Amino acid sequence: MTTESKLNSPEMEEFYNDLAGMNMDALWHHNFPSQTAAEKSAPYQPCRWLWKDIEPMIWRAGDLVQPGPESHRRVIQLKNPGLAPMPGATHTLVLALQLVYPGEVAPSHRHTPTAIRFMLKGKTVTMVDGEPITMNPGDLVLTPNWTWHGHTNETNEPAIWIDNLDVPIVGALKAGIHEDFPEGLDPSTKMPDESFRRFGSGHLRPIKSKKAELISPLHSYPWEQTHQALHELASVEADAFDDVALEYTNPTTGGHVLPTLACQIQMIRPGVHTKAHKHSSSAVFHVYKGSGHVIVDGVKIAWKEGDFFSLPPWCNHEFVNDSNSEELVLYSSTDQPVFEALGLWHELAYEKNGGHQEVVATYEERYG
Ligand code: GTQ
Ligand code: FE2
């Protein structure tokens, strides 16, 4: 028995109108999302920021504003124009640079967004819930959600570091809460670098410590250890998409450092050109050492030491070290833990042409 479809009938129109009048709707009234993983494409553009453009702005900020009453933090955000007016470098990740001059204090506060710091220049102490943590270049420091934190610089040199935050994720959940500490830095209640003293070996855990903590109880990851681990790994294996890559881990689980953010350090060895893939997570990258380029959906994005780059979700991307003698070291932070926790993580290798994309434009040609 066949019946005539009423989909485009006047009765259906009337039905839709009546539903709308009662704050209801019919599922079939709208297109059902029907993209396969292969069809998924980037929802907004990638973006690159050059250190030669960023650095003068940091010094200008240094002349214009002081941390404390004038501004919580002296921070310059790297904003992806594809997301305007949102503040993120990707739809989930805020990427910023912070400057603290000798003698300055960025007073303590706590908030539900989480931050990861990657130190670039100079030396500071960041207080994390009463634990004074020294940050030297290449060190990674966690200020987990709701921990009191503030920064001081007791040296003679300005200090600059990268801030990665999950502000857009917390914002989407309407979970933003912020509290200022009454005055200055919260007092030191722990040994300097205490969390490192407990957990810093990575593979030896104090016997009475809790297993499987949601948030890493280790708050600092010194560069010396990171650098050595990269070279040890390079002597035995490399990944097709990321070459020699290590994730910073929560020592109680071996998993991501934080529930919303993960971070990694990777070395693209001299002359290496990785294969391309795409995935549901987005990421922000910093060239810590060396130079090279990344190919994102056929666009060649050249970068040198100090430059930054944001990778939207679902872009095919592959890394190239242009040098045959110098290593290319990339620091990155991603929202991957959120996707994994929700069972939403998908990854797809680029199959054509041996896994390498054809370059169709440079970043300058495509994005000006
Ligand atoms: O250092 O506490 O880039 O609260 C943005 C918000 C840094 C910080 C940022 C912050 C901080
Ligand atoms: Fe903060």
Side-chain angles (χ1 to χ4, degrees):
M1 191 182 84
T2 57
T3 54
E4 204 180 323
S5 171
K6 292 180 181 158
L7 271 182
N8 296 311
S9 65
E11 297 97 296
M12 189 65 90
E13 263 321 300
E14 197 186 338
F15 181 57
Y16 291 152
N17 284 336
D18 289 348
L19 283 170
M22 290 181 282
N23 304 319
M24 301 181 209
D25 206 346
L27 183 62
W28 66 87
H29 188 181
H30 305 279
N31 288 332
F32 205 70
S34 67
Q35 273 181 322
T36 64
E39 289 162 350
K40 288 287 273 183
S41 61
Y44 51 88
Q45 69 163 83
C47 191
R48 181 191 62 185
W49 298 264
L50 302 175
W51 182 249
K52 74 170 179 56
D53 297 330
I54 298 169
E55 191 183 9
M57 296 304 174
I58 294 176
W59 300 130
R60 281 171 69 181
D63 288 340
L64 290 167
V65 77
Q66 289 194 319
E70 285 199 332
S71 159
H72 276 301
R73 298 292 186 251
R74 186 193 284 121
V75 161
I76 299 297
Q77 295 182 325
L78 306 186
K79 291 170 68 168
N80 187 329
L83 292 164
M86 303 267 290
T90 78
H91 65 304
T92 52
L93 304 169
V94 160
L95 171 62
L97 288 130
Q98 184 161 171
L99 167 65
V100 178
Y101 273 125
E104 286 182 341
V105 173
S108 291
H109 62 198
R110 62 178 177 175
H111 39 70
T112 45
T114 286
I116 298 176
R117 334 270 171 191
F118 187 84
M119 195 65 185
L120 295 180
K121 299 193 190 300
K123 176 176 161 176
T124 43
V125 171
T126 284
M127 194 68 82
V128 182
D129 267 349
E131 178 191 354
I133 299 179
T134 302
M135 305 204 294
N136 283 300
D139 294 354
L140 181 118
V141 170
L142 308 179
T143 53
N145 128 29
W146 211 238
T147 52
W148 292 108
H149 59 278
H151 319 284
T152 52
N153 180 348
E154 288 161 359
T155 75
N156 300 315
E157 304 288 329
I160 299 174
W161 66 86
I162 303 170
D163 288 325
N164 300 121
L165 292 103
D166 59 3
V167 167
I169 300 172
V170 176
L173 299 172
K174 303 278 179 254
I177 311 175
H178 180 108
E179 224 172 86
D180 284 324
F181 194 73
E183 212 201 323
L185 272 194
D186 59 301
S188 161
T189 57
K190 301 190 176 117
M191 294 267 292
D193 305 301
E194 180 165 324
S195 71
F196 185 82
R197 294 171 199 250
R198 289 182 200 279
F199 291 101
S201 84
H203 59 277
L204 295 166
R205 186 171 55 77
I207 56 167
K208 292 282 162 55
S209 64
K210 274 196 283 182
K211 288 180 195 148
E213 290 194 56
L214 177 66
I215 289 172
S216 174
L218 173 62
H219 296 144
S220 63
Y221 299 73
W223 174 247
E224 200 179 319
Q225 220 181 20
T226 307
H227 190 238
Q228 191 191 339
L230 257 188
H231 282 91
E232 299 288 357
L233 182 63
S235 67
V236 287
E237 75 167 49
D239 181 79
F241 304 116
D242 287 308
D243 206 34
V244 181
L246 287 167
E247 178 172 356
Y248 294 86
T249 60
N250 172 344
T252 68
T253 61
H256 306 305
V257 283
L258 297 158
T260 50
L261 297 174
C263 41
Q264 70 177 44
I265 194 84
Q266 73 193 92
M267 172 165 66
I268 314 297
R269 292 163 299 164
V272 165
H273 184 156
T274 69
K275 291 190 176 192
H277 70 159
K278 64 178 183 177
H279 40 67
S280 25
S281 57
S282 64
V284 292
F285 289 86
H286 168 69
V287 183
Y288 189 58
K289 291 196 189 308
S291 62
H293 65 274
V294 54
I295 305 167
V296 180
D297 283 341
V299 177
K300 176 178 171 175
I301 307 179
W303 53 5
K304 294 201 293 285
E305 196 162 304
D307 296 344
F308 290 80
F309 156 71
S310 76
L311 178 77
W314 301 110
C315 297
N316 281 304
H317 56 282
E318 62 197 83
F319 299 103
V320 186
N321 184 343
D322 292 328
S323 165
N324 282 313
S325 55
E326 303 295 318
E327 58 198 39
L328 169 61
V329 178
L330 305 174
Y331 163 72
S332 61
S333 175
T334 92
D335 54 9
Q336 189 172 336
V338 177
F339 290 85
E340 290 182 0
L342 303 179
L344 293 171
W345 169 252
H346 284 270
E347 179 191 25
L348 205 69
Y350 186 80
E351 300 287 0
K352 283 180 271 183
N353 193 27
H356 296 299
Q357 305 163 82
E358 193 190 330
V359 173
V360 295
T362 64
Y363 183 80
E364 292 78 0
E365 286 164 354
R366 178 65 60 87
Y367 302 111

PDB file of all heavy atoms in Angstrom, residues 73 109 111 117 149, ligand 2:
ATOM      1  N   ARG A  73      46.395  40.405  34.903  1.00  0.00           N
ATOM      2  CA  ARG A  73      47.624  39.871  34.333  1.00  0.00           C
ATOM      3  C   ARG A  73      48.021  40.725  33.130  1.00  0.00           C
ATOM      4  O   ARG A  73      47.150  41.203  32.397  1.00  0.00           O
ATOM      5  CB  ARG A  73      47.399  38.441  33.823  1.00  0.00           C
ATOM      6  CG  ARG A  73      46.994  37.431  34.892  1.00  0.00           C
ATOM      7  CD  ARG A  73      48.105  37.148  35.860  1.00  0.00           C
ATOM      8  NE  ARG A  73      47.795  36.081  36.809  1.00  0.00           N
ATOM      9  CZ  ARG A  73      47.564  36.281  38.111  1.00  0.00           C
ATOM     10  NH1 ARG A  73      47.551  37.490  38.625  1.00  0.00           N
ATOM     11  NH2 ARG A  73      47.336  35.255  38.921  1.00  0.00           N
ATOM     12  N   HIS A 109      45.035  34.614  42.525  1.00  0.00           N
ATOM     13  CA  HIS A 109      43.596  34.445  42.373  1.00  0.00           C
ATOM     14  C   HIS A 109      43.360  32.980  42.043  1.00  0.00           C
ATOM     15  O   HIS A 109      44.307  32.214  41.880  1.00  0.00           O
ATOM     16  CB  HIS A 109      43.034  35.390  41.288  1.00  0.00           C
ATOM     17  CG  HIS A 109      43.568  35.162  39.901  1.00  0.00           C
ATOM     18  ND1 HIS A 109      43.472  36.089  38.883  1.00  0.00           N
ATOM     19  CD2 HIS A 109      44.218  34.098  39.336  1.00  0.00           C
ATOM     20  CE1 HIS A 109      44.016  35.625  37.784  1.00  0.00           C
ATOM     21  NE2 HIS A 109      44.480  34.417  38.022  1.00  0.00           N
ATOM     22  N   HIS A 111      40.433  30.382  39.734  1.00  0.00           N
ATOM     23  CA  HIS A 111      39.294  30.378  38.808  1.00  0.00           C
ATOM     24  C   HIS A 111      39.073  28.973  38.279  1.00  0.00           C
ATOM     25  O   HIS A 111      39.965  28.116  38.358  1.00  0.00           O
ATOM     26  CB  HIS A 111      39.508  31.383  37.661  1.00  0.00           C
ATOM     27  CG  HIS A 111      40.911  31.460  37.140  1.00  0.00           C
ATOM     28  ND1 HIS A 111      41.481  30.447  36.417  1.00  0.00           N
ATOM     29  CD2 HIS A 111      41.862  32.422  37.250  1.00  0.00           C
ATOM     30  CE1 HIS A 111      42.719  30.794  36.092  1.00  0.00           C
ATOM     31  NE2 HIS A 111      42.993  31.977  36.602  1.00  0.00           N
ATOM     32  N   ARG A 117      51.344  26.630  31.713  1.00  0.00           N
ATOM     33  CA  ARG A 117      52.374  27.609  31.309  1.00  0.00           C
ATOM     34  C   ARG A 117      53.539  26.880  30.676  1.00  0.00           C
ATOM     35  O   ARG A 117      53.967  25.838  31.182  1.00  0.00           O
ATOM     36  CB  ARG A 117      52.941  28.364  32.510  1.00  0.00           C
ATOM     37  CG  ARG A 117      52.042  28.474  33.703  1.00  0.00           C
ATOM     38  CD  ARG A 117      51.190  29.680  33.653  1.00  0.00           C
ATOM     39  NE  ARG A 117      50.168  29.682  34.685  1.00  0.00           N
ATOM     40  CZ  ARG A 117      49.182  30.556  34.692  1.00  0.00           C
ATOM     41  NH1 ARG A 117      49.070  31.447  33.732  1.00  0.00           N
ATOM     42  NH2 ARG A 117      48.278  30.531  35.637  1.00  0.00           N
ATOM     43  N   HIS A 149      46.791  30.870  42.475  1.00  0.00           N
ATOM     44  CA  HIS A 149      48.062  31.038  41.761  1.00  0.00           C
ATOM     45  C   HIS A 149      48.363  32.510  41.504  1.00  0.00           C
ATOM     46  O   HIS A 149      47.457  33.311  41.270  1.00  0.00           O
ATOM     47  CB  HIS A 149      48.064  30.257  40.436  1.00  0.00           C
ATOM     48  CG  HIS A 149      46.969  30.680  39.508  1.00  0.00           C
ATOM     49  ND1 HIS A 149      45.683  30.218  39.615  1.00  0.00           N
ATOM     50  CD2 HIS A 149      46.962  31.549  38.471  1.00  0.00           C
ATOM     51  CE1 HIS A 149      44.939  30.771  38.688  1.00  0.00           C
ATOM     52  NE2 HIS A 149      45.679  31.600  37.969  1.00  0.00           N
TER      53      HIS A 149
HETATM   54 FE   FE2 B   2      44.848  32.919  36.579  1.00  0.00          FE
END
